[in-house]
Amino acid sequence: PIAITCFTRGLDIRKEKADVLCPGGCPLEEFSVFGNIVYASVSSICGAAVHRGVISISGGPVRVYSLPGRENYSSVDANGIRSQTLSRWSASFTVTKGKSSTQEATGQAVSTARPQTGKRLKKTPEKKTGNKDCKADIAFLIDGSFNIGQRRFNLQKNFVGKVALMLGIGTEGPHVGLVQASEHPKIEFYLKNFTSAKDVLFAIKEVGFRGGNSNTGKALKHTAQKFFTVDTGMRKGIPKVVVVFIDGWPSDDIEEAGIVAREFGVNVFIVSVAKPIPEELGMVQDVAFVDKAVCRNNGFFSYHMPNWFGTTKYVKPLVQKLCSHEQMMCSKTCYNSVNIAFLIDGSSSVGDSNFRLMLEFVSNIAKAFEISDIGAKIAAVQFTYDQRTEFSFTDYSTKENVLAVIRSIRYMSGGTATGDAISFTVRNVFGPVRDSPNKNFLVIVTDGQSYDDVRGPAAAAHDAGITIFSVGVAWAPLDDLKDMASKPKESHAFFTREFTGLQPIVSDIIRGICRDFLESQQ
């Protein structure tokens, strides 16, 4: 048998039948496997062999048989590996147990995309993190109709490949998938299928021309509804983008599809190529289709190229748009575009067990939001006569970390100076994120009378664009709560006699934040 590496793929073995020897100790989580029993040729041979149970993680001989391509490769959990789905690939293979040999897997390995060298353990190209400054989940919706024709279809694929390459695809950077619009839309591959630019380029190259009408509206609607799911690789808190390529004009209604996409929080970009000539305008259902389909009609979401020739100069400007996540207006929701600081009363009258109930209240609000480095951000300050920043907006960028640190906050005990605490929070917590595109909220939880003035500091916070929700428990005076709360006071000030009464207020605060966020976007 030929000794191969953990990452040798079916397409690297150019024989109808071959005996190979897989090494031991391959990392299961790094295997790329597509299908079950019959695997797409882009799959790792050793990964497929472990998945099928032909060998264990300790390696061994495998016989590989080449097979024709398939339309669908299923996802199956087996032997510690979850294979992935793939809608189409040009070649396949299957594996059976190979003949035993005294040859060791340390022999000369067949040359692959990830050669077995001394550096391989340090450098794994397939696991590159990618461009962290360009976090987006992108679907390229290409035109596969008779309108574009085979030749221009290939030029279109070439352009999309260049865009994909420049984006900096990687595990922590942008992820991309591809949908072809024709008579019926077809998802060619999903976000989760490939996380390296090289594999994406290969997959784009393999896509075949389908023909039929350019039912772009139908394809856009299908993409908005079916493409972006957690199962297919969508990441929470990261902008969802569909880049729609239209050669000439769509043959169906694209406006309604644009509305559906916006409802699903999808940012629609239209890349129009070769606008209809005057004689063709009579065939266009709606001349203003671009403005009606895009995420926002502000010029940012539309892009025009005169034809498919000499398109290299258009790659970089389009990539810059796709990486401007702060301008992705349609994926901005109250759940991923807010900064929420909690001002927590740690005074002696609260007591340790009630303080835990306050932390649970804070956790349950934080839990509802999509916390990430480009999404929602959470901070917390505990106060008595003094103030202590428990964590700032920039300290933690995952929900798990935020919830863990909230649980670990230690009870201070002392007096109650709520006014000073508000001023401290505005200055030290909101000050550093003054230029953030997120909307700012402050949730104050207190159980008693403040020894200082709250009205002045609260007014200064309102003037700084911070919306305040005040939540009082037990002895907290209603006048203080109303003085601190934003207008209208009745929907921003809450009171409960018991600390156990905090839990029902959680949904009121979340709804209030979303309502205020939506009003600020009008």
Side-chain angles (χ1 to χ4, degrees):
I2 308 162
I4 61 173
T5 74
C6 303
F7 307 105
T8 302
R9 300 168 299 182
L11 56 87
D12 296 317
I13 304 292
R14 301 184 183 280
K15 295 179 180 177
E16 285 189 15
K17 181 177 78 174
D19 286 306
V20 299
L21 192 63
C22 286
C26 293
L28 285 180
E29 68 278 1
E30 289 194 22
F31 277 135
S32 263
V33 179
F34 302 90
N36 179 43
I37 303 174
V38 174
Y39 301 94
S41 64
V42 74
S43 304
S44 154
I45 293 172
C46 299
V50 173
H51 183 263
R52 199 172 176 202
V54 168
I55 58 169
S56 69
I57 195 63
S58 56
V62 176
R63 179 163 282 183
V64 185
Y65 296 90
S66 292
L67 297 169
R70 281 192 163 194
E71 281 297 316
N72 283 296
Y73 296 88
S74 57
S75 168
V76 174
D77 265 320
N79 301 309
I81 296 176
R82 182 174 182 80
S83 68
Q84 300 178 60
T85 57
L86 193 59
S87 60
R88 179 182 172 276
W89 202 255
S90 59
S92 313
F93 68 89
T94 191
V95 287
T96 60
K97 196 150 189 69
K99 290 183 178 176
S100 297
S101 166
T102 54
Q103 184 180 0
E104 291 297 318
T106 50
Q108 183 60 47
V110 67
S111 177
T112 72
R114 295 172 75 168
Q116 193 167 7
T117 69
K119 290 184 180 178
R120 201 198 75 219
L121 292 176
K122 291 181 184 176
K123 188 177 180 183
T124 52
E126 259 71 9
K127 298 302 271 186
K128 276 183 182 171
T129 55
N131 180 6
K132 292 182 184 179
D133 294 328
C134 182
K135 287 199 172 178
D137 286 343
I138 303 169
F140 291 111
L141 178 53
I142 61 172
D143 188 344
S145 68
F146 289 135
N147 204 30
I148 191 170
Q150 178 76 61
R151 184 182 179 219
R152 296 205 306 275
F153 178 77
N154 290 336
L155 292 170
Q156 176 186 219
K157 287 201 302 178
N158 187 37
F159 177 76
V160 172
K162 288 176 184 174
V163 172
L165 195 61
M166 189 172 274
L167 279 168
I169 294 162
T171 51
E172 293 179 42
H175 291 183
V176 305
L178 191 77
V179 183
Q180 186 174 173
S182 56
E183 198 67 41
H184 302 289
K186 179 161 186 259
I187 296 172
E188 300 288 354
F189 58 89
Y190 287 101
L191 295 164
K192 71 173 186 179
N193 291 146
F194 309 107
T195 52
S196 80
K198 193 180 89 175
D199 286 344
V200 167
L201 287 177
F202 190 84
I204 291 169
K205 188 179 174 186
E206 291 290 302
V207 171
F209 176 60
R210 290 173 67 79
N213 282 327
S214 59
N215 291 330
T216 312
K218 184 178 178 182
L220 176 56
K221 199 171 176 181
H222 181 77
T223 306
Q225 293 172 326
K226 306 288 185 188
F227 183 86
F228 296 100
T229 68
V230 173
D231 287 344
T232 59
M234 181 198 78
R235 297 167 291 175
K236 287 188 176 178
I238 286 177
K240 296 178 282 192
V241 182
V242 178
V243 186
V244 184
F245 291 90
I246 296 179
D247 186 287
W249 65 91
S251 56
D252 63 346
D253 181 13
I254 196 171
E255 182 182 2
E256 186 202 342
I259 293 167
V260 170
R262 288 192 285 279
E263 286 172 356
F264 277 82
V266 175
N267 297 275
V268 177
F269 276 80
I270 301 284
V271 179
S272 55
V273 186
K275 284 182 178 174
I277 58 174
E279 300 86 78
E280 295 171 331
L281 285 174
M283 301 169 69
V284 183
Q285 283 191 27
D286 190 344
V287 178
F289 67 85
V290 170
D291 290 340
K292 291 180 179 177
V294 291
C295 164
R296 288 281 170 92
N297 179 14
N298 60 3
F300 177 77
F301 293 94
S302 53
Y303 196 68
H304 181 67
M305 299 190 301
N307 53 57
W308 287 111
F309 302 96
T311 55
T312 303
K313 63 186 176 189
Y314 297 105
V315 173
K316 190 175 180 181
L318 179 58
V319 167
Q320 286 170 338
K321 282 185 178 237
L322 298 180
C323 291
S324 302
H325 62 77
E326 70 284 352
Q327 293 196 58
M328 299 293 181
M329 303 306 294
C330 287
S331 51
K332 289 192 179 298
T333 69
C334 64
Y335 297 108
N336 65 19
S337 301
V338 292
N339 298 325
I340 307 170
F342 293 94
L343 192 49
I344 308 165
D345 189 343
S347 61
S348 305
S349 56
V350 174
D352 195 60
S353 60
N354 287 334
F355 187 72
R356 294 292 129 200
L357 290 174
M358 289 167 83
L359 294 184
E360 191 180 332
F361 170 73
V362 168
S363 286
N364 287 335
I365 294 172
K367 207 179 284 180
F369 294 88
E370 294 175 14
I371 301 163
S372 74
D373 54 355
I374 61 167
K377 292 180 172 59
I378 307 291
V381 174
Q382 187 179 172
F383 73 99
T384 56
Y385 282 138
D386 295 316
Q387 306 85 30
R388 183 171 76 198
T389 303
E390 302 293 352
F391 59 98
S392 295
F393 288 126
T394 52
D395 287 345
Y396 303 101
S397 60
T398 69
K399 188 180 295 189
E400 292 73 21
N401 288 342
V402 165
L403 296 178
V405 78
I406 290 171
R407 283 194 297 271
S408 69
I409 291 175
R410 296 188 327 277
Y411 175 45
M412 284 169 71
S413 187
T416 311
T418 316
D420 277 353
I422 294 170
S423 298
F424 173 88
T425 307
V426 171
R427 186 173 60 252
N428 296 291
V429 176
F430 286 102
V433 295
R434 193 176 291 112
D435 298 326
S436 166
N438 288 6
K439 182 163 173 56
N440 294 322
F441 291 89
L442 175 61
V443 179
I444 303 170
V445 195
T446 180
D447 85 324
Q449 173 87 49
S450 177
Y451 292 111
D452 61 359
D453 171 56
V454 296
R455 192 176 300 174
H462 299 154
D463 291 344
I466 300 165
T467 301
I468 297 181
F469 288 88
S470 58
V471 182
V473 191
W475 300 279
L478 207 54
D479 286 347
D480 273 12
L481 297 177
K482 285 184 175 177
D483 284 342
M484 293 186 291
S486 293
K487 294 177 182 176
K489 304 288 184 184
E490 58 273 14
S491 59
H492 290 83
F494 299 88
F495 178 78
T496 174
R497 282 266 166 230
E498 305 291 336
F499 281 88
T500 50
L502 285 171
Q503 187 51 38
I505 299 173
V506 169
S507 57
D508 293 325
I509 300 289
I510 295 165
R511 273 199 301 269
I513 288 171
C514 285
R515 177 197 61 231
D516 291 349
F517 176 83
L518 278 173
E519 286 175 4
S520 74
Q521 300 295 297
Q522 300 302 319

